[in-house]
Amino acid sequence: MSARRKTEKKVEAAQAKAEPASKSEGAITIPASLTVKQLADLMGVSAVEVIKKLMRQGIMASINQVIDYQTAATITPDFGYQALAEQGPTQAALLAQRRKRFVEDDTGAQKPRPAVVTIMGHVDHGKTKLLDAIRETNVAATEVGEITQHIGAYQVEVHGQKITFLDTPGHEAFTAMRARGAQVTDTAILVVAADDGVMPQTIEAIDHARAAGVPIVVAINKMDKPEANAQRVKQQLADLGVVCEEWGGDVVCVPVSAKKKEGISDLLENLLIVAEMEELKANPERRAIGTVIEAKLDKSKGPLATVLVQIGTLKMGDPLVIGDTWGKVKAMFNDRGKRLKKAEPATPVEVLGLGSVPQAGDTFRVTATEREARTLAQRGQEEKRLATLRPISPPRLTELSSQIREGQVKELNIILKTDVQGSIEPIKTSLERLSIDEVKVNILHSGSGSITEGDVLLALASRGIILGFNTRPEPGAKQMAEAEGIDIRLYEVIYNLVDDVERAMKGMLEPTYVEVVEGHAEVRAIFAASRRAKVVGVYVSDGKVARGAGARIIRHGEVVFESTVSSLRRFKEDAKEVATGFECGVGIEGYNDFEIGDIIELYRRERQ
Ligand code: GDP
């Protein structure tokens, strides 16, 4: 049976299983959270009856209280309904989203290409072990004398078809690449240990994959362990909207043991099926374009970069440009150290011959001539310089607010972190309720705990903002957010958080400013700079004086005038800043009535 036919059969089977549930009178689909009233409406009963049933379970809830799926599911049978978890975005919807975003200039005759797969999941659930197991079970394809090389990616062959695996597991690496603009992964394997179940990073991985529009295949690992419980994992995943095929969903879930190398071929076959549904194609007959996966400086070989060819074919001798560096392919090796003459779409190869070490996530492009590569690299250097001067960051909430007002923004991407698990659902529900026809509130990820670098990366890659409720960013995350210009807003009152987002949605949120005092200067002399304007000779007693800074004239402890520093001179030369302990000449915009002994307070406004 062809893989496509298998897919169709699987889809049919899944539908057949799903239908009785959704059609039968006794089943209702319940979202991850909802209010008591919404649940009552779904079942067509009064809210009072629902409240009574909840009370009998020891849960005191009011009509507008938000309850989670699990709680709702415990009382629905009392009303004659079987609860079904609402599915997250379907795999097909994810694909459509990805296609929309992944616009390539790949025209011409397209041919099927292998899938590029990333492994994600919670720490210690067996990502590395699974990557090794997949690699080792395919030793048959290895020729004598070839030795495994870790170049950042490898390829295996299943029934004559190739699959490419990225060797750096984890959603942080995946999203870091995305934040640099690289769309590399076609499918994500979500590893969940059958003994441990769904953990915080499992949820993060799901959200990161969804935000990127990448379909998931679940590998339920460690099935060899006596405590393994695949059913529990499937239930936990279903609660998150990742519903396995056997349960009427569209996510493939494969039990495996990376340790015993069991279930690996089943997993690989399923990856082929998912890849086939994705209809991955590229034109091999053109100059290559792709992404740097890993790069380093080798003492004897010079700069080495592992690149993934995404479209076209990379050949020996090709001139290429990567950001601000360029070179010529002097030699290419695959993950088994074998020298290659050419590399087709979805092939990872280690390339020798670059002028300097590029960055992972950078795009490479083959050019017609070496001269073109060199010119583009010079332009790349200039762009890099400009980029450091004016970093392109996602907009802050206040900027989004004015963009919403102007109708430029259709989606508000939010990452929500709270102190405790219990705060997530009420805030999430309140925020999602703010969605209007023109703008949708999109909670990309929510979780309890501090704000991590992973959260900042997700915000960067998805042009989102981070909202923290009774939590703070980790030091690394704070630094990263400041460097990348990511908006982290912290709240201690739910109302304020929801109110800010609501005002942003209505295009009403204006930036708020805080004032930072920069220094003080004492007026020691007064001069006439022209017939009308006066300047003063001052001594900077603390901090600094800067041109353009806010200035307040204080006389006998009272503010007599407020304006800005219009001119600043030192030894007849214009100056930008003058520091503590120095004297200088200062002009204040619109003010001439100075007196000796006046204090000038200097300040600047900072946007919050
Ligand atoms: P990672 O952090 O997700 O990359 O996890 P590792 O691959 O490093 O595995 C974490 C631990 O789980 C290691 O001690 C592995 O030997 C063990 N492990 C991984 N897969 C299996 C498995 O299928 N069965 C058992 N029993 N242990 C496993």
Side-chain angles (χ1 to χ4, degrees), residues 11 73-74 114 203 262 266 272 316 345 368 429 460 509 569 582 603:
V11 173
T74 56
I203 303 173
E262 280 165 9
D266 196 14
L272 282 183
M316 277 288 294
T429 315
L460 186 60
L509 197 67
R569 296 194 118 194
F582 291 100
Y603 62 88

Side-chain angles (χ1 to χ4, degrees), residues 122 124-129 221-222 224-225 257-259:
H122 195 73
D124 277 348
H125 278 199
K127 297 181 291 292
T128 314
K129 193 116 185 138
N221 190 30
K222 307 201 185 183
D224 57 286
K225 286 195 154 186
S257 164
K259 186 179 170 187

Side-chain angles (χ1 to χ4, degrees), residues 315-365:
K315 303 189 196 86
M316 277 288 294
D318 273 348
L320 79 174
V321 57
I322 310 179
D324 58 351
T325 188
W326 70 283
K328 209 174 143 175
V329 181
K330 278 195 196 137
M332 286 194 283
F333 299 92
N334 71 3
D335 55 285
R336 294 182 200 127
K338 189 174 165 191
R339 208 175 254 272
L340 300 182
K341 288 211 175 72
K342 56 176 191 163
E344 296 195 321
T347 311
V349 277
E350 194 172 58
V351 172
L352 255 82
L354 292 173
S356 58
V357 183
Q359 265 193 307
D362 274 351
T363 302
F364 82 83
R365 215 168 256 280

Side-chain angles (χ1 to χ4, degrees), residues 371-591:
R371 181 205 284 240
E372 191 188 341
R374 191 170 43 219
T375 316
L376 285 174
Q378 278 161 358
R379 204 180 294 162
Q381 278 166 11
E382 179 64 9
E383 274 168 15
K384 199 170 181 179
R385 198 181 61 79
L386 288 176
T388 52
L389 294 178
R390 131 187 82 70
I392 307 164
S393 321
R396 309 177 77 83
L397 189 63
T398 45
E399 288 153 6
L400 280 166
S401 184
S402 57
Q403 290 174 6
I404 288 171
R405 193 165 53 217
E406 286 152 21
Q408 294 168 0
V409 173
K410 304 273 170 265
E411 252 179 13
L412 188 55
N413 285 336
I414 291 174
I415 290 137
L416 172 69
K417 292 306 274 281
T418 63
D419 50 347
V420 289
Q421 197 70 23
S423 322
I424 297 174
E425 285 311 327
I427 300 180
K428 222 171 128 179
T429 315
S430 309
L431 289 178
E432 277 167 348
R433 247 189 251 152
L434 297 176
S435 282
I436 43 176
D437 285 349
E438 298 78 23
V439 194
K440 189 169 166 262
V441 175
N442 222 355
I443 312 246
L444 293 179
H445 173 62
S446 58
S448 60
S450 48
I451 296 161
T452 63
E453 287 183 21
D455 296 328
V456 178
L457 275 175
L458 184 58
L460 186 60
S462 312
R463 302 187 65 72
I465 58 157
I466 302 175
L467 303 179
F469 175 68
N470 279 334
T471 183
R472 307 204 67 76
E474 287 172 2
K478 187 160 187 257
Q479 266 175 11
M480 191 181 200
E482 275 164 12
E484 302 287 356
I486 301 290
D487 197 2
I488 299 185
R489 300 175 77 93
L490 305 173
Y491 299 88
E492 281 163 6
V493 180
I494 294 187
Y495 172 80
N496 292 345
L497 184 153
V498 178
D499 189 48
D500 264 9
V501 176
E502 183 168 13
R503 288 196 298 134
M505 298 283 292
K506 290 183 178 159
M508 287 168 18
L509 197 67
E510 301 294 341
T512 51
Y513 291 91
V514 285
E515 191 185 291
V516 182
V517 172
E518 280 187 320
H520 294 90
E522 193 187 313
V523 175
R524 297 205 164 161
I526 303 168
F527 311 97
S530 66
R531 211 176 315 149
R532 268 176 287 149
K534 285 204 173 115
V535 292
V536 284
V538 303
Y539 171 77
V540 185
S541 48
D542 68 89
K544 63 175 185 184
V545 184
R547 195 146 21 109
R552 236 175 242 131
I553 317 290
I554 301 170
R555 191 171 299 153
H556 310 304
E558 276 183 33
V559 177
V560 292
F561 194 75
E562 202 162 337
S563 178
T564 52
V565 176
S566 56
S567 70
L568 183 62
R569 296 194 118 194
R570 190 163 151 69
F571 299 124
K572 299 206 160 66
E573 296 283 327
D574 279 339
K576 266 196 185 143
E577 278 188 12
V578 177
T580 315
F582 291 100
E583 290 186 334
C584 54
V586 170
I588 302 291
E589 183 71 41
Y591 193 67

